[in-house]
């Protein structure tokens, strides 16, 4: 009885997660005429399928290509820089005693709660004065500072779990301190850094408010903003199937990351704690499973 | 004799040494956190102070020379305008509806994920998909799904006419926006709740079972009270996030038929209409209301905690 319930629950979760994705993929293969004729149903009808035409049109669109390029570049740079800075801070928070530690953690928490829109006005004004408006750094800087809190909290929770004595043990065994750090601590810390990087990338790739407010041309406009401006004047006559194809294309990097994530996790079975976004809390659960 | 005389001296040396080390540690720690703290303050604290300053001026980017000091009159204008209260009301509605539904569904999902042993990876991977997908994309997906021209929802719901326009009136449009928001963020809620669920001791649940507690009693008396911290964190994060709802509304209705949120109003004033003065006042009000909500949630859960203690 219980097993049936759990299986049913799993099915519901999968349906919940994948149904809208299946719908947008299906929409992306419909022809524009099928859509304007009205109510074409969930799946593309056999005669009305557009094949890969929508995808070809999207990838041929200069604005769209540029937006993807912007998004990839901006998100990757913001992720790399944010993770480096967060790693330094998290290491200090987890391992050192120093004045101002509480201040850092509180600031990070307050910023995590910050309504992004309330900063857009003054940033718009400031970035225009500094020449950062409509440039890559103009988006990278806000993305970095808004992902730092989550990255710092995730990483410092992770670093606290690392048995730092192992570093000394390796040194006793004859390794230099650099070797000890590289061979022992870096592999242990890597999954945590990876988790923080994913969260940062998700944020940067997802951002919309900064994307539409701090850019005005194709120079720096990221993909979510480009998609929303692809709409045209009449919100009720959007090129639905074309937009759906664009939406699917913009989701591919996320799918790749989501698929790499558990693989990365499985490679380090001794650090299963990095599983899921809620890692750091799983210790009890795993302990229980080991006991079983 | 000599050892006795030397001992205090040595201790003193060690103390000096320790405090030197402590100082060096403080210096190193502060240096390591400096880039993060500077960056966070440059992008948040400084613009917020600037917003506070600009909110005291009548300042429009279309006429920058006419900028003049008006004191608190921007706040007065905002707070006496029915539009402000209407958008605040809608925003609170979005927040209450989405967070309460997400709490229930997210908890159910967390219970399932907690029990699942087979296909664990598949479930956790797929639950990351709605979380990772761009909000704009999920907004489009749901907008097209609800559309009477190219959607399927009207066909699937038996009690709805096939040509019903969800985006023509406030209530259906708000429902559509909430559905999109709930779909997107329930996974986040359930992952946080799953973490909390993992912290509830299995022994306690077993003990309650032995004592003859029903499933319902175990849920309300053992599981939920022990998850209070996790539930609070989940509700707090989601509520603050829902209060600044923007992307879905922008994509699905562009603020038409009274679906505009307070974030949307602020965006429209500052970026579209270049009214930096009144826009900054709205920014400050938005920030203050987020603080109030955070305070309220923390307070509510604390009261709950005391009540539960008396009950037990």
């Amino acid at each position: 009885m219980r097993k049936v319930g759990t299986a049913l629950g799993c099915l519901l979760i999968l349906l919940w997660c994948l149904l809208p994705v299946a719908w947008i993929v299906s929409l992306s293969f419909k022809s524009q005429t099928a859509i304007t004729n009205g109510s074409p149903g969930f799946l593309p009808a056999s005669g009305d399928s557009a094949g890969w035409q929508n995808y070809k049109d999207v990838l041929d669109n200069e604005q769209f290509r540029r937006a993807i390029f912007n998004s990839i570049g901006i998100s990757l740079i913001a992720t790399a820089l944010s993770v480096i800075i967060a790693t330094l801070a998290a290491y200090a928070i987890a391992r050192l005693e120093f004045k101002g530690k509480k201040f850092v953690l509180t600031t990070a928490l307050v910023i995590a709660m910050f309504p992004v829109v309330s900063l857009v006005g003054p940033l718009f004004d400031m970035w225009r004065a500094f020449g950062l408006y409509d440039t890559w750094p103009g988006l990278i800087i806000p993305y970095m500072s808004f992902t730092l809190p989550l990255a710092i909290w995730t990483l410092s929770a992770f670093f606290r779990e690392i048995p730092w004595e192992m570093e000394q043990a390796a040194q006793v065994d004859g390794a230099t301190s650099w070797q000890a750090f590289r061979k022992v601590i870096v592999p242990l810390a890597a999954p945590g850094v990876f988790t923080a990087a994913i969260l940062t990338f998700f944020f940067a790739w997802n951002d919309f408010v900064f994307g539409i407010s701090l850019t005005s041309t194709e120079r720096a406009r990221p993909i979510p903003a480009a998609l929303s401006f692809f709409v045209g004047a009449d919100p009720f006559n959007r090129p639905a199937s074309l937009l759906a194809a664009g939406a699917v294309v913009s989701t591919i990097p996320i799918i790749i990351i989501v698929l790499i994530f558990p693989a990365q996790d499985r490679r380090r079975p001794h650090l299963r704690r990095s599983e899921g976004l809620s890692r750091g809390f799983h210790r009890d659960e795993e302990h229980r499973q080991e006991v079983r | 004799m000599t050892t006795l005389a030397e001992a205090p001296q040595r201790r003193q040396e060690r103390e000096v040494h320790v405090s030197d080390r402590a100082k060096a540690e403080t210096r190193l720690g502060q240096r390591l956190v400096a880039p993060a703290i500077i960056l966070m303050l440059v992008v948040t604290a400084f613009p917020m102070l600037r917003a506070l300053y600009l909110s005291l001026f009548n300042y429009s980017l279309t006429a920058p020379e006419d900028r003049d000091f008006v004191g608190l009159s921007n706040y007065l204008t905002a707070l006496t305008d029915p539009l402000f209260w209407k958008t605040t009301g809608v925003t609170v509605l979005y927040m209450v509806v989405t967070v309460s539904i997400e709490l229930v569904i997210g908890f159910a999902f967390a219970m399932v994920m907690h029990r699942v042993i087979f296909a664990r990876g598949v479930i956790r991977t797929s639950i990351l998909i709605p979380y990772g997908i761009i909000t704009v994309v999920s907004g489009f997906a749901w907008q097209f799904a609800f559309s009477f021209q190219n959607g399927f929802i009207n066909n699937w719901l038996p009690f709805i006419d096939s040509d019903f326009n969800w985006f023509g009136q406030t209530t259906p449009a708000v429902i559509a926006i909430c559905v999109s928001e709930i779909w997107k963020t329930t996974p986040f809620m359930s992952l946080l709740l799953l973490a909390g669920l993992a912290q509830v001791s299995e022994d306690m649940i077993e003990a309650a079972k032995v004592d003859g507690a029903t499933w319902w009693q175990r849920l309300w008396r053992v599981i939920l009270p022990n998850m209070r911290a996790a539930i609070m964190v989940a509700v707090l994060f989601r509520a603050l996030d829902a209060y600044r709802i923007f992307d879905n509304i922008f994509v699905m209705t562009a603020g038409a038929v009274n679906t505009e949120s307070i974030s949307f109003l602020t965006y429209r004033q500052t970026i579209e209409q270049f009214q930096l003065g009144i826009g900054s006042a709205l920014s400050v009000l938005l920030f203050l209301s987020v603080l109030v909500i955070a305070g309220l949630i923390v307070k509510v859960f604390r009261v709950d905690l005391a009540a539960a203690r008396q009950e037990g």
Side-chain angles (χ1 to χ4, degrees):
Chain A
M1 189 54 211
R2 192 176 203 179
K3 264 189 185 158
V4 174
T6 310
L8 211 69
C10 283
L11 209 69
L12 269 175
I13 295 179
L14 285 180
L15 209 65
W16 173 282
C17 296
L18 301 178
L19 185 81
V21 179
W23 155 246
I24 198 108
V25 171
S26 145
L27 191 60
S28 72
F29 286 108
K30 288 175 185 170
S31 68
Q32 198 58 48
T33 44
I35 283 168
T36 37
N37 287 344
S39 288
F42 190 87
L43 293 169
S46 48
D48 285 332
S49 170
W52 293 97
Q53 194 52 47
N54 289 322
Y55 287 90
K56 281 194 193 108
D57 290 349
V58 159
L59 293 176
D60 280 343
N61 185 305
E62 178 59 36
Q63 278 181 352
F64 204 81
R65 271 213 307 262
R66 177 73 207 185
I68 293 180
F69 175 67
N70 285 339
S71 260
I72 292 177
I74 292 172
S75 305
L76 285 180
I77 296 173
T79 304
L81 293 176
S82 167
V83 167
I84 292 170
I85 293 178
T87 305
L88 297 179
Y91 174 84
I93 288 165
R95 251 203 123 182
L96 305 173
E97 267 324 308
F98 63 96
K99 265 184 214 151
K101 196 167 167 172
K102 242 196 172 141
F103 175 70
V104 181
L105 287 171
T106 322
T107 312
L109 203 64
V110 172
I111 288 172
M113 303 194 312
F114 233 90
V116 176
V117 173
S118 66
L119 293 180
V120 147
L123 273 181
F124 174 75
D125 205 25
M126 277 164 63
W127 270 198
R128 279 161 26 108
F130 299 159
L132 285 173
Y133 181 71
D134 202 25
T135 64
W136 277 27
L139 287 179
I140 291 172
I141 296 169
Y143 289 174
M144 280 168 74
S145 41
F146 272 92
T147 52
L148 274 174
L150 196 57
I152 291 175
W153 278 83
T154 316
L155 277 170
S156 60
F158 200 92
F159 284 176
R160 229 171 280 131
E161 308 266 320
I162 292 179
W164 295 98
E165 307 79 35
M166 279 169 66
E167 194 184 357
Q168 282 160 350
Q171 281 183 44
V172 170
D173 288 347
T176 66
S177 52
W178 171 243
Q179 275 175 332
F181 183 73
R182 227 199 68 75
K183 295 266 164 82
V184 179
I185 300 303
V186 171
L188 287 174
V193 175
F194 194 73
T195 307
I198 285 180
L199 294 176
T200 307
F201 189 85
F202 274 16
F203 178 96
W205 191 260
N206 217 327
D207 163 73
F208 182 60
V209 178
F210 291 125
I212 57 169
S213 312
L214 302 179
T215 65
S216 60
T217 65
E218 288 165 27
R219 240 172 98 196
R221 181 171 289 159
I223 187 84
L227 274 176
S228 78
F229 288 131
F230 206 58
V231 165
D234 180 5
F236 295 102
N237 271 319
R238 286 166 167 163
S241 53
L242 204 61
L243 265 173
V248 172
V249 170
S250 71
T251 307
I252 290 170
I254 295 297
I255 304 281
I256 292 173
I257 286 178
V258 165
L259 291 178
I260 293 173
F261 187 49
Q264 174 80 10
D265 207 41
R266 231 172 288 131
R267 266 196 356 233
R268 296 185 172 81
H270 57 289
L271 271 169
R272 279 286 303 287
R273 229 165 286 158
S274 65
E275 190 175 15
L277 290 173
S278 45
R279 60 137 298 288
F281 298 100
H282 283 302
R283 204 179 350 161
D284 296 339
E285 186 193 29
E286 263 158 37
H287 177 65
R288 243 191 357 260
Q289 278 169 3
E290 276 157 27
V291 171
R292 270 186 209 154
Chain B
M1 275 301 273
T2 42
T3 45
L4 269 177
E6 262 170 27
Q9 202 189 344
R10 204 179 285 157
R11 193 181 298 145
Q12 207 174 12
E13 263 171 29
R14 202 179 298 145
E15 266 164 23
V16 169
H17 181 67
V18 164
S19 76
D20 261 0
R21 243 189 98 157
K23 255 187 222 158
E25 205 170 296
T26 289
R27 219 176 306 129
L28 179 64
Q30 285 170 346
R31 270 186 204 155
L32 288 175
V33 296
I37 206 86
I38 290 169
L39 200 69
M40 289 194 285
L41 292 181
V42 162
V43 178
T44 52
F46 185 67
M48 203 64 227
L49 289 174
R50 185 151 167 87
L52 208 58
Y53 170 76
L54 285 179
S55 70
L56 304 176
F57 289 86
N58 184 357
Y59 180 27
S60 166
L61 274 184
T62 49
E65 312 81 33
D66 295 343
R67 175 168 131 171
D68 52 4
F69 184 80
V70 291
L72 293 176
S73 97
N74 281 329
Y75 291 94
L76 206 70
T77 312
L79 292 172
T80 51
D81 194 324
L83 184 66
F84 175 80
W85 293 107
K86 208 164 70 185
T87 52
T88 304
V90 173
T91 314
V92 171
L93 186 73
Y94 285 127
M95 180 180 73
V96 172
V97 169
T98 57
V99 173
S100 37
I101 293 177
E102 280 173 30
L103 194 58
V104 176
I105 302 177
F107 187 74
F109 281 10
M111 291 284 269
V112 172
M113 285 196 283
H114 190 60
R115 291 272 159 247
V116 172
I117 295 157
F118 64 95
R120 204 185 188 110
V122 176
I123 299 284
R124 291 212 183 160
T125 305
S126 30
I127 214 150
L128 280 175
I129 290 174
Y131 180 67
I133 268 180
I134 303 175
T135 316
V136 170
V137 168
S138 89
F140 275 129
W142 286 103
Q143 200 224 357
F144 293 140
F146 277 104
S147 153
F148 64 90
Q149 275 174 319
N150 41 42
F152 62 90
I153 295 211
N154 282 354
N155 295 340
W156 284 17
L157 294 179
F159 49 90
I160 299 261
D161 284 342
S162 69
D163 59 351
F164 180 71
N165 181 6
W166 287 82
F167 302 103
Q169 287 160 6
T170 306
T171 315
V174 167
I175 292 174
I177 291 169
C178 285
V179 167
S180 170
E181 182 83 0
I182 290 168
W183 176 73
K184 170 98 171 75
T185 48
T186 299
F188 176 71
M189 185 75 116
S190 65
L191 285 173
L192 287 180
L193 292 176
L194 178 67
L197 205 53
Q199 286 175 315
V200 179
S201 133
E202 200 84 7
D203 299 342
M204 242 192 312
I205 301 172
E206 282 304 316
K209 217 178 191 171
V210 169
D211 288 346
T214 62
W215 183 84
W216 194 246
Q217 283 171 327
R218 271 177 277 150
L219 179 69
W220 282 97
R221 296 294 175 91
V222 182
I223 299 177
L224 289 180
N226 279 297
M227 281 178 67
R228 182 165 292 116
I231 295 174
M232 191 196 87
V233 170
V235 168
L236 184 68
F237 273 91
R238 269 304 305 142
L240 296 181
D241 212 33
Y243 194 78
R244 48 195 184 198
I245 181 169
F246 179 82
D247 308 17
N248 272 326
I249 299 171
F250 191 98
V251 171
M252 294 176 82
T253 65
V257 292
N258 295 325
T259 53
E260 189 174 67
S261 70
I262 189 78
S263 277
F264 203 98
L265 180 67
T266 311
Y267 166 81
R268 222 157 41 82
Q269 289 296 323
T270 38
I271 306 297
E272 280 182 1
Q273 299 180 4
F274 303 117
Q275 299 295 333
L276 275 186
I278 187 101
S280 298
L282 287 170
S283 298
V284 174
L285 289 173
L286 176 61
F287 179 56
L288 290 181
S289 43
V290 163
L291 284 186
V292 169
I293 292 168
L296 271 178
I297 290 173
V298 169
K299 205 172 173 190
V300 161
F301 275 86
R302 225 176 255 158
V303 167
D304 207 342
L305 198 75
R309 243 184 240 142
Q310 278 171 358
E311 198 183 78

